[in-house]
Amino acid sequence: MCGIIGYIGHREAAPVLLKGLQRLEYRGYDSAGVAIFANGGSRDGILVRRSVGKLTNLDRLLQDQPVHGSIGMGHTRWATHGRPSEENAHPHRAGKIVVIHNGIIENYLDLRHKLQAKGRTFNSETDTEVISHLIDDYIQQGLSFTLATRAALKQLEGAFSIVVLCEDEPGKILTAKNATPIVIGLGEHENFVASDVPALLEYTRKVTFLEDGEMAEVTREYVTLSDFQGQPIEREPRTIEWDTVTAQKSGYKHFLLKEIHEQPQAIIDTMRGRILPEESDVSLGEFDEHSELLNSIQRIALVACGTAWHACLAGKFYLEELARIPVEVDYGSEFRYRNSPLERHAAILAVSQSGETADTLAALEGGKSLGLPALAICNVVDASIPRRSDIVLYTHAGPEISVASTKAFTTQLTALYLLSVYLGRRRGVLDEGRGRQLIDDLINLPAQVQEILTKTKHIEKIAKKYGHAKDFLYLGRGVNYPIALEGALKLKEISYIHAEGYPAGEMKHGPIALIDEEMPVVVLLPKDPVYAKTLSNMKEVEARGGRIIAITDAPSPELEDIAWEVIQVPTTNHLLMPILLTIPLQLLAYYSAVYRDTDVDQPRNLAKSVTVE
Ligand code: M6R
């Protein structure tokens, strides 16, 4: 959602804030703003600059109307309350207080009415402005900056993270959070606050994550943590492994293309240290100490959103076939409000790239409240979801900046595969021979992904040929049906072409009515036990004039006759085929978006990390 950065130190704040916001722009990008203590707060107080649209507009504004000072904060917005406009852009000022905010204040209307009744005037439609008024109101009543902020925090309901400046106390930044992330970067005679780690990496890798219900007082020399009641909190800082280079474009035109090409390495990093070829086994250190618990699990509920949900749908096939554990898959937003009867011998497993998705986090909490052990597959270390889980399997895919998820997806599939082999071996479902084969196939996978990535020209041409289409249909069967869904989602979100994913066998029950000469139909056709069935479905499409784009590991003259385009991928076992089939779909979506000249890395209306309901 929104991106937050705060700085207090010895550097010029404006460039630090702008650079941090660039790294966070993927979180939201309809407007942006900064607030800086001009000249250290001695003369002009806090100056605010805000502008609608992309960050470049704010950059230009700051060139025209510079603000010099070394304490400040910045924000990129993804609108929830109030349309994108300068008035609704953050920071929001009320009296002596200036606030930036990520999340939603659920009781903001109630608070706003109460504050209006006291004679306060609001300048925006946002929920954020109530926070600045509320804190300022307490200051007017005589409370100090810290106490006023704490008093206000106790009145806020909902998910939020905030950063606050006060005209009276130029040497201090306050920050607080409940259910949306805040990380504090620790430097030498300088400190940072951000909603996400990439904003800080250039300056420090020593960080402290705030937990829900906590606030921090940040000065140049120290950071003190406390809860909303004022109880002090001690926490050891952590060191982040990622470096700035991994969070850059490295010569690629878009982060998305870079991240697609990073997949061989990302898959290797997910496997690293977890494969025991000699023993035909997988080692998941994180899980070993919970072997009793894992052996007792008789059912797993997988919860996730968007692309991660598609990974879960494929994960169901992995866990059921390799570990013989019955699996149910839910959207986070559905599970959280479903009265699930799961309890004894069940577990909940949340899958999330960011580890901050509000619906997935709430579903995990829902599972925990039923007494289920909480497992997580996550990319971002120490994000909220892993912190709230009993056992975590990190994907180690590195920072994913582009809003559309690519390497996070294939590494989530890799992690689910590893977990399934691990459980299957321990439960006696997989013998050594099968374990060996499954592991060998996984070891070969990164090179096979690389092979597809060396032949992108063909896919680029196909994208140009069909990129004008209004609708696409994606068909797949079994474990590849989720891949059809993922292919359709990728195309929709970055090229804005309407697309549907369907189980191939279901097409005749309705979607077949859509097919005509204008409709490209992408068919996932691996040489698996249902190959012949999917081929029949393809013939049904052909008979209605649909333009078939087949992706297969088994091209044949018959296939060449039916399909308008054939994309060949290497072959592997039927459970890893989804990963290989995903790569051409990502490239097709990417090149279609480039052809249609959309904003590939920051598609309209989307945000990387959806920390609101
Ligand atoms: O960070 P998460 O994996 O929890 O995010 C879940 C979805 O918001 C995310 O996958 C979204 O669907 C992406 N835009 C897909 O490309």
mmCIF file of all heavy atoms in Angstrom, residues 256 304-310 351-358 360-361 377-378 380 385 400 402-406 408 412 486 489-490 493-494 603 606-610, ligand 1:
data_model
loop_
_atom_site.group_PDB
_atom_site.id
_atom_site.type_symbol
_atom_site.label_atom_id
_atom_site.label_comp_id
_atom_site.label_asym_id
_atom_site.label_seq_id
_atom_site.Cartn_x
_atom_site.Cartn_y
_atom_site.Cartn_z
ATOM 1 N N LEU A 256 10.225 -6.056 -13.675
ATOM 2 C CA LEU A 256 9.518 -7.313 -13.945
ATOM 3 C C LEU A 256 10.378 -8.250 -14.784
ATOM 4 O O LEU A 256 10.499 -9.441 -14.477
ATOM 5 C CB LEU A 256 8.180 -7.049 -14.653
ATOM 6 C CG LEU A 256 7.324 -8.298 -14.719
ATOM 7 C CD1 LEU A 256 6.634 -8.549 -13.402
ATOM 8 C CD2 LEU A 256 6.291 -8.225 -15.817
ATOM 9 N N ALA A 304 -4.004 -17.669 1.259
ATOM 10 C CA ALA A 304 -3.163 -16.706 0.542
ATOM 11 C C ALA A 304 -4.065 -15.797 -0.295
ATOM 12 O O ALA A 304 -5.291 -15.966 -0.308
ATOM 13 C CB ALA A 304 -2.187 -17.443 -0.369
ATOM 14 N N CYS A 305 -3.465 -14.863 -1.002
ATOM 15 C CA CYS A 305 -4.205 -13.970 -1.903
ATOM 16 C C CYS A 305 -3.471 -13.913 -3.240
ATOM 17 O O CYS A 305 -2.251 -14.078 -3.298
ATOM 18 C CB CYS A 305 -4.255 -12.547 -1.350
ATOM 19 S SG CYS A 305 -5.036 -12.440 0.246
ATOM 20 N N GLY A 306 -4.226 -13.629 -4.295
ATOM 21 C CA GLY A 306 -3.652 -13.352 -5.618
ATOM 22 C C GLY A 306 -2.767 -14.479 -6.113
ATOM 23 O O GLY A 306 -3.115 -15.665 -6.059
ATOM 24 N N THR A 307 -1.600 -14.100 -6.572
ATOM 25 C CA THR A 307 -0.664 -15.073 -7.133
ATOM 26 C C THR A 307 -0.290 -16.148 -6.111
ATOM 27 O O THR A 307 -0.173 -17.323 -6.452
ATOM 28 C CB THR A 307 0.597 -14.309 -7.619
ATOM 29 O OG1 THR A 307 0.230 -13.618 -8.803
ATOM 30 C CG2 THR A 307 1.751 -15.226 -7.902
ATOM 31 N N ALA A 308 -0.111 -15.741 -4.865
ATOM 32 C CA ALA A 308 0.254 -16.719 -3.831
ATOM 33 C C ALA A 308 -0.868 -17.753 -3.667
ATOM 34 O O ALA A 308 -0.617 -18.921 -3.368
ATOM 35 C CB ALA A 308 0.531 -16.006 -2.512
ATOM 36 N N TRP A 309 -2.115 -17.324 -3.905
ATOM 37 C CA TRP A 309 -3.244 -18.259 -3.828
ATOM 38 C C TRP A 309 -3.142 -19.291 -4.952
ATOM 39 O O TRP A 309 -3.435 -20.469 -4.767
ATOM 40 C CB TRP A 309 -4.561 -17.469 -3.912
ATOM 41 C CG TRP A 309 -5.793 -18.296 -3.791
ATOM 42 C CD1 TRP A 309 -6.287 -18.875 -2.660
ATOM 43 C CD2 TRP A 309 -6.701 -18.648 -4.847
ATOM 44 N NE1 TRP A 309 -7.446 -19.569 -2.952
ATOM 45 C CE2 TRP A 309 -7.728 -19.431 -4.287
ATOM 46 C CE3 TRP A 309 -6.753 -18.359 -6.205
ATOM 47 C CZ2 TRP A 309 -8.786 -19.932 -5.030
ATOM 48 C CZ3 TRP A 309 -7.808 -18.851 -6.964
ATOM 49 C CH2 TRP A 309 -8.806 -19.638 -6.375
ATOM 50 N N HIS A 310 -2.690 -18.847 -6.116
ATOM 51 C CA HIS A 310 -2.493 -19.805 -7.213
ATOM 52 C C HIS A 310 -1.416 -20.821 -6.840
ATOM 53 O O HIS A 310 -1.525 -22.004 -7.155
ATOM 54 C CB HIS A 310 -2.106 -19.071 -8.504
ATOM 55 C CG HIS A 310 -3.166 -18.134 -8.990
ATOM 56 N ND1 HIS A 310 -2.894 -17.015 -9.740
ATOM 57 C CD2 HIS A 310 -4.507 -18.141 -8.800
ATOM 58 C CE1 HIS A 310 -4.021 -16.386 -9.992
ATOM 59 N NE2 HIS A 310 -5.009 -17.042 -9.428
ATOM 60 N N VAL A 351 0.720 -18.471 2.738
ATOM 61 C CA VAL A 351 1.748 -18.264 1.724
ATOM 62 C C VAL A 351 1.685 -16.803 1.276
ATOM 63 O O VAL A 351 0.614 -16.307 0.905
ATOM 64 C CB VAL A 351 1.549 -19.222 0.528
ATOM 65 C CG1 VAL A 351 2.610 -18.971 -0.539
ATOM 66 C CG2 VAL A 351 1.603 -20.672 0.992
ATOM 67 N N SER A 352 2.821 -16.125 1.342
ATOM 68 C CA SER A 352 2.818 -14.698 1.018
ATOM 69 C C SER A 352 4.224 -14.238 0.652
ATOM 70 O O SER A 352 5.187 -14.595 1.334
ATOM 71 C CB SER A 352 2.321 -13.909 2.242
ATOM 72 O OG SER A 352 2.489 -12.524 2.058
ATOM 73 N N GLN A 353 4.340 -13.476 -0.412
ATOM 74 C CA GLN A 353 5.639 -12.894 -0.766
ATOM 75 C C GLN A 353 6.041 -11.879 0.289
ATOM 76 O O GLN A 353 7.093 -11.977 0.901
ATOM 77 C CB GLN A 353 5.540 -12.224 -2.148
ATOM 78 C CG GLN A 353 6.843 -11.714 -2.737
ATOM 79 C CD GLN A 353 7.400 -10.455 -2.116
ATOM 80 O OE1 GLN A 353 8.589 -10.422 -1.721
ATOM 81 N NE2 GLN A 353 6.609 -9.423 -1.971
ATOM 82 N N SER A 354 5.164 -10.895 0.493
ATOM 83 C CA SER A 354 5.510 -9.762 1.365
ATOM 84 C C SER A 354 5.444 -10.120 2.839
ATOM 85 O O SER A 354 6.116 -9.513 3.662
ATOM 86 C CB SER A 354 4.534 -8.615 1.110
ATOM 87 O OG SER A 354 3.217 -9.034 1.436
ATOM 88 N N GLY A 355 4.569 -11.070 3.170
ATOM 89 C CA GLY A 355 4.336 -11.379 4.580
ATOM 90 C C GLY A 355 3.534 -10.304 5.281
ATOM 91 O O GLY A 355 3.423 -10.314 6.510
ATOM 92 N N GLU A 356 2.959 -9.382 4.504
ATOM 93 C CA GLU A 356 2.216 -8.280 5.119
ATOM 94 C C GLU A 356 0.776 -8.203 4.622
ATOM 95 O O GLU A 356 0.047 -7.301 5.036
ATOM 96 C CB GLU A 356 2.898 -6.937 4.819
ATOM 97 C CG GLU A 356 4.309 -6.806 5.344
ATOM 98 C CD GLU A 356 4.401 -6.800 6.866
ATOM 99 O OE1 GLU A 356 3.354 -6.694 7.537
ATOM 100 O OE2 GLU A 356 5.528 -6.935 7.382
ATOM 101 N N THR A 357 0.376 -9.081 3.715
ATOM 102 C CA THR A 357 -0.972 -8.991 3.139
ATOM 103 C C THR A 357 -2.014 -9.138 4.252
ATOM 104 O O THR A 357 -2.063 -10.162 4.947
ATOM 105 C CB THR A 357 -1.136 -10.077 2.058
ATOM 106 O OG1 THR A 357 -0.126 -9.843 1.080
ATOM 107 C CG2 THR A 357 -2.497 -10.032 1.423
ATOM 108 N N ALA A 358 -2.842 -8.098 4.381
ATOM 109 C CA ALA A 358 -3.738 -8.027 5.542
ATOM 110 C C ALA A 358 -4.686 -9.225 5.605
ATOM 111 O O ALA A 358 -4.886 -9.804 6.681
ATOM 112 C CB ALA A 358 -4.531 -6.732 5.492
ATOM 113 N N THR A 360 -4.350 -12.261 4.337
ATOM 114 C CA THR A 360 -3.651 -13.517 4.644
ATOM 115 C C THR A 360 -3.273 -13.551 6.114
ATOM 116 O O THR A 360 -3.412 -14.581 6.788
ATOM 117 C CB THR A 360 -2.396 -13.654 3.750
ATOM 118 O OG1 THR A 360 -2.783 -13.453 2.387
ATOM 119 C CG2 THR A 360 -1.761 -15.015 3.896
ATOM 120 N N LEU A 361 -2.818 -12.406 6.598
ATOM 121 C CA LEU A 361 -2.436 -12.323 8.009
ATOM 122 C C LEU A 361 -3.657 -12.584 8.902
ATOM 123 O O LEU A 361 -3.582 -13.349 9.880
ATOM 124 C CB LEU A 361 -1.846 -10.932 8.286
ATOM 125 C CG LEU A 361 -1.342 -10.646 9.688
ATOM 126 C CD1 LEU A 361 -0.253 -11.627 10.086
ATOM 127 C CD2 LEU A 361 -0.784 -9.214 9.782
ATOM 128 N N ILE A 377 4.942 -19.788 4.452
ATOM 129 C CA ILE A 377 5.960 -19.720 3.399
ATOM 130 C C ILE A 377 6.010 -18.256 3.008
ATOM 131 O O ILE A 377 4.982 -17.671 2.640
ATOM 132 C CB ILE A 377 5.590 -20.621 2.202
ATOM 133 C CG1 ILE A 377 5.696 -22.085 2.617
ATOM 134 C CG2 ILE A 377 6.477 -20.316 0.994
ATOM 135 C CD1 ILE A 377 5.330 -23.093 1.552
ATOM 136 N N CYS A 378 7.184 -17.651 3.120
ATOM 137 C CA CYS A 378 7.249 -16.209 2.940
ATOM 138 C C CYS A 378 8.590 -15.823 2.322
ATOM 139 O O CYS A 378 9.577 -16.544 2.462
ATOM 140 C CB CYS A 378 7.077 -15.536 4.300
ATOM 141 S SG CYS A 378 6.879 -13.759 4.178
ATOM 142 N N VAL A 380 9.777 -12.302 2.529
ATOM 143 C CA VAL A 380 10.390 -11.208 3.304
ATOM 144 C C VAL A 380 10.620 -11.668 4.745
ATOM 145 O O VAL A 380 9.667 -11.973 5.478
ATOM 146 C CB VAL A 380 9.507 -9.951 3.266
ATOM 147 C CG1 VAL A 380 10.120 -8.843 4.104
ATOM 148 C CG2 VAL A 380 9.328 -9.481 1.823
ATOM 149 N N ILE A 385 3.689 -11.885 8.838
ATOM 150 C CA ILE A 385 3.189 -13.273 8.769
ATOM 151 C C ILE A 385 4.208 -14.262 9.361
ATOM 152 O O ILE A 385 3.851 -15.050 10.249
ATOM 153 C CB ILE A 385 2.749 -13.639 7.333
ATOM 154 C CG1 ILE A 385 1.433 -12.880 7.028
ATOM 155 C CG2 ILE A 385 2.582 -15.145 7.144
ATOM 156 C CD1 ILE A 385 0.933 -13.003 5.621
ATOM 157 N N GLU A 400 11.399 -8.530 -4.347
ATOM 158 C CA GLU A 400 10.571 -8.467 -5.562
ATOM 159 C C GLU A 400 9.938 -7.078 -5.586
ATOM 160 O O GLU A 400 9.129 -6.747 -4.720
ATOM 161 C CB GLU A 400 9.508 -9.565 -5.542
ATOM 162 C CG GLU A 400 8.833 -9.719 -6.887
ATOM 163 C CD GLU A 400 7.749 -10.786 -6.882
ATOM 164 O OE1 GLU A 400 6.735 -10.591 -6.177
ATOM 165 O OE2 GLU A 400 7.890 -11.807 -7.572
ATOM 166 N N SER A 402 8.762 -5.302 -8.668
ATOM 167 C CA SER A 402 7.645 -5.107 -9.600
ATOM 168 C C SER A 402 6.353 -5.563 -8.923
ATOM 169 O O SER A 402 6.350 -6.563 -8.190
ATOM 170 C CB SER A 402 7.892 -5.923 -10.866
ATOM 171 O OG SER A 402 7.019 -5.485 -11.869
ATOM 172 N N VAL A 403 5.294 -4.827 -9.187
ATOM 173 C CA VAL A 403 4.035 -5.127 -8.490
ATOM 174 C C VAL A 403 3.538 -6.528 -8.849
ATOM 175 O O VAL A 403 3.043 -7.265 -7.998
ATOM 176 C CB VAL A 403 2.993 -4.036 -8.818
ATOM 177 C CG1 VAL A 403 1.603 -4.477 -8.408
ATOM 178 C CG2 VAL A 403 3.366 -2.742 -8.104
ATOM 179 N N ALA A 404 3.681 -6.902 -10.121
ATOM 180 C CA ALA A 404 3.236 -8.248 -10.517
ATOM 181 C C ALA A 404 4.260 -9.268 -10.034
ATOM 182 O O ALA A 404 5.464 -9.124 -10.236
ATOM 183 C CB ALA A 404 3.083 -8.317 -12.022
ATOM 184 N N SER A 405 3.756 -10.294 -9.417
ATOM 185 C CA SER A 405 4.618 -11.289 -8.798
ATOM 186 C C SER A 405 5.086 -12.321 -9.818
ATOM 187 O O SER A 405 4.274 -12.870 -10.562
ATOM 188 C CB SER A 405 3.783 -11.969 -7.710
ATOM 189 O OG SER A 405 4.589 -12.468 -6.724
ATOM 190 N N THR A 406 6.385 -12.582 -9.859
ATOM 191 C CA THR A 406 6.898 -13.596 -10.790
ATOM 192 C C THR A 406 7.799 -14.592 -10.047
ATOM 193 O O THR A 406 7.418 -15.719 -9.801
ATOM 194 C CB THR A 406 7.690 -12.937 -11.948
ATOM 195 O OG1 THR A 406 8.678 -12.068 -11.393
ATOM 196 C CG2 THR A 406 6.772 -12.186 -12.874
ATOM 197 N N ALA A 408 8.515 -14.634 -7.017
ATOM 198 C CA ALA A 408 7.912 -15.057 -5.746
ATOM 199 C C ALA A 408 7.055 -16.296 -5.976
ATOM 200 O O ALA A 408 7.055 -17.227 -5.172
ATOM 201 C CB ALA A 408 7.073 -13.930 -5.157
ATOM 202 N N GLN A 412 7.624 -19.931 -4.493
ATOM 203 C CA GLN A 412 6.599 -20.491 -3.589
ATOM 204 C C GLN A 412 6.280 -21.933 -4.009
ATOM 205 O O GLN A 412 6.140 -22.830 -3.165
ATOM 206 C CB GLN A 412 5.317 -19.642 -3.652
ATOM 207 C CG GLN A 412 5.416 -18.348 -2.856
ATOM 208 C CD GLN A 412 4.401 -17.297 -3.271
ATOM 209 O OE1 GLN A 412 3.614 -17.491 -4.208
ATOM 210 N NE2 GLN A 412 4.409 -16.180 -2.581
ATOM 211 N N GLU A 486 -2.934 -18.190 -13.174
ATOM 212 C CA GLU A 486 -1.822 -17.264 -12.960
ATOM 213 C C GLU A 486 -1.455 -16.545 -14.266
ATOM 214 O O GLU A 486 -1.186 -15.338 -14.263
ATOM 215 C CB GLU A 486 -0.622 -18.030 -12.378
ATOM 216 C CG GLU A 486 0.653 -17.235 -12.203
ATOM 217 C CD GLU A 486 0.534 -16.007 -11.297
ATOM 218 O OE1 GLU A 486 -0.486 -15.838 -10.619
ATOM 219 O OE2 GLU A 486 1.474 -15.185 -11.311
ATOM 220 N N LEU A 489 -4.037 -13.915 -14.788
ATOM 221 C CA LEU A 489 -3.870 -12.786 -13.844
ATOM 222 C C LEU A 489 -2.711 -11.890 -14.285
ATOM 223 O O LEU A 489 -2.820 -10.658 -14.282
ATOM 224 C CB LEU A 489 -3.620 -13.314 -12.427
ATOM 225 C CG LEU A 489 -3.315 -12.241 -11.372
ATOM 226 C CD1 LEU A 489 -4.495 -11.296 -11.178
ATOM 227 C CD2 LEU A 489 -2.927 -12.857 -10.037
ATOM 228 N N LYS A 490 -1.611 -12.525 -14.690
ATOM 229 C CA LYS A 490 -0.427 -11.736 -15.093
ATOM 230 C C LYS A 490 -0.786 -10.846 -16.273
ATOM 231 O O LYS A 490 -0.449 -9.674 -16.304
ATOM 232 C CB LYS A 490 0.689 -12.711 -15.472
ATOM 233 C CG LYS A 490 2.053 -12.506 -15.018
ATOM 234 C CD LYS A 490 2.425 -12.502 -13.572
ATOM 235 C CE LYS A 490 1.493 -12.010 -12.566
ATOM 236 N NZ LYS A 490 1.728 -12.438 -11.223
ATOM 237 N N GLU A 493 -3.192 -7.947 -15.130
ATOM 238 C CA GLU A 493 -2.696 -6.873 -14.264
ATOM 239 C C GLU A 493 -1.656 -5.989 -14.934
ATOM 240 O O GLU A 493 -1.595 -4.805 -14.643
ATOM 241 C CB GLU A 493 -2.226 -7.382 -12.901
ATOM 242 C CG GLU A 493 -1.096 -8.332 -12.879
ATOM 243 C CD GLU A 493 -0.758 -8.812 -11.457
ATOM 244 O OE1 GLU A 493 -1.142 -8.191 -10.466
ATOM 245 O OE2 GLU A 493 -0.076 -9.843 -11.364
ATOM 246 N N ILE A 494 -0.896 -6.527 -15.884
ATOM 247 C CA ILE A 494 0.119 -5.625 -16.459
ATOM 248 C C ILE A 494 -0.212 -5.137 -17.865
ATOM 249 O O ILE A 494 0.277 -4.092 -18.262
ATOM 250 C CB ILE A 494 1.547 -6.211 -16.405
ATOM 251 C CG1 ILE A 494 1.664 -7.506 -17.195
ATOM 252 C CG2 ILE A 494 2.008 -6.397 -14.979
ATOM 253 C CD1 ILE A 494 3.112 -7.961 -17.333
ATOM 254 N N PRO A 603 1.484 -1.121 -12.425
ATOM 255 C CA PRO A 603 0.211 -1.067 -13.144
ATOM 256 C C PRO A 603 -0.831 -0.244 -12.381
ATOM 257 O O PRO A 603 -0.785 -0.183 -11.144
ATOM 258 C CB PRO A 603 -0.226 -2.527 -13.227
ATOM 259 C CG PRO A 603 0.872 -3.341 -12.674
ATOM 260 C CD PRO A 603 1.866 -2.469 -12.009
ATOM 261 N N LEU A 606 -3.020 -0.803 -8.726
ATOM 262 C CA LEU A 606 -2.483 -1.906 -7.912
ATOM 263 C C LEU A 606 -1.471 -1.403 -6.898
ATOM 264 O O LEU A 606 -0.943 -0.304 -7.016
ATOM 265 C CB LEU A 606 -1.803 -2.940 -8.813
ATOM 266 C CG LEU A 606 -2.720 -3.739 -9.723
ATOM 267 C CD1 LEU A 606 -1.914 -4.701 -10.566
ATOM 268 C CD2 LEU A 606 -3.746 -4.501 -8.912
ATOM 269 N N ALA A 607 -1.191 -2.227 -5.922
ATOM 270 C CA ALA A 607 -0.128 -1.938 -4.958
ATOM 271 C C ALA A 607 0.583 -3.250 -4.679
ATOM 272 O O ALA A 607 -0.021 -4.319 -4.758
ATOM 273 C CB ALA A 607 -0.708 -1.393 -3.668
ATOM 274 N N LYS A 608 1.859 -3.177 -4.381
ATOM 275 C CA LYS A 608 2.641 -4.395 -4.185
ATOM 276 C C LYS A 608 2.191 -5.162 -2.946
ATOM 277 O O LYS A 608 2.071 -6.371 -2.959
ATOM 278 C CB LYS A 608 4.120 -4.019 -4.063
ATOM 279 C CG LYS A 608 5.052 -5.204 -3.889
ATOM 280 C CD LYS A 608 5.114 -6.027 -5.151
ATOM 281 C CE LYS A 608 5.943 -7.277 -4.998
ATOM 282 N NZ LYS A 608 5.644 -8.246 -6.069
ATOM 283 N N SER A 609 1.979 -4.416 -1.911
ATOM 284 C CA SER A 609 1.726 -5.084 -0.654
ATOM 285 C C SER A 609 0.383 -4.560 -0.140
ATOM 286 O O SER A 609 0.260 -3.382 0.166
ATOM 287 C CB SER A 609 2.889 -4.704 0.266
ATOM 288 O OG SER A 609 2.783 -5.360 1.461
ATOM 289 N N VAL A 610 -0.614 -5.433 -0.112
ATOM 290 C CA VAL A 610 -1.973 -4.958 0.177
ATOM 291 C C VAL A 610 -2.233 -5.102 1.676
ATOM 292 O O VAL A 610 -2.695 -6.138 2.148
ATOM 293 C CB VAL A 610 -3.016 -5.702 -0.678
ATOM 294 C CG1 VAL A 610 -4.403 -5.123 -0.452
ATOM 295 C CG2 VAL A 610 -2.650 -5.578 -2.154
HETATM 296 O O1 M6R B 1 2.666 -10.406 -0.758
HETATM 297 P P1 M6R B 1 1.636 -11.456 -1.064
HETATM 298 O O2 M6R B 1 2.223 -12.648 -1.746
HETATM 299 O O3 M6R B 1 0.829 -11.851 0.123
HETATM 300 O O4 M6R B 1 0.656 -10.755 -2.098
HETATM 301 C C1 M6R B 1 -0.521 -11.394 -2.510
HETATM 302 C C2 M6R B 1 -1.128 -10.683 -3.689
HETATM 303 O O5 M6R B 1 -1.472 -9.373 -3.369
HETATM 304 C C3 M6R B 1 -0.172 -10.666 -4.897
HETATM 305 O O6 M6R B 1 0.214 -11.949 -5.251
HETATM 306 C C4 M6R B 1 -0.867 -9.980 -6.093
HETATM 307 O O7 M6R B 1 -1.916 -10.771 -6.562
HETATM 308 C C5 M6R B 1 0.138 -9.674 -7.195
HETATM 309 N N1 M6R B 1 -0.193 -8.426 -7.808
HETATM 310 C C6 M6R B 1 0.146 -10.686 -8.267
HETATM 311 O O8 M6R B 1 1.018 -10.401 -9.297
#
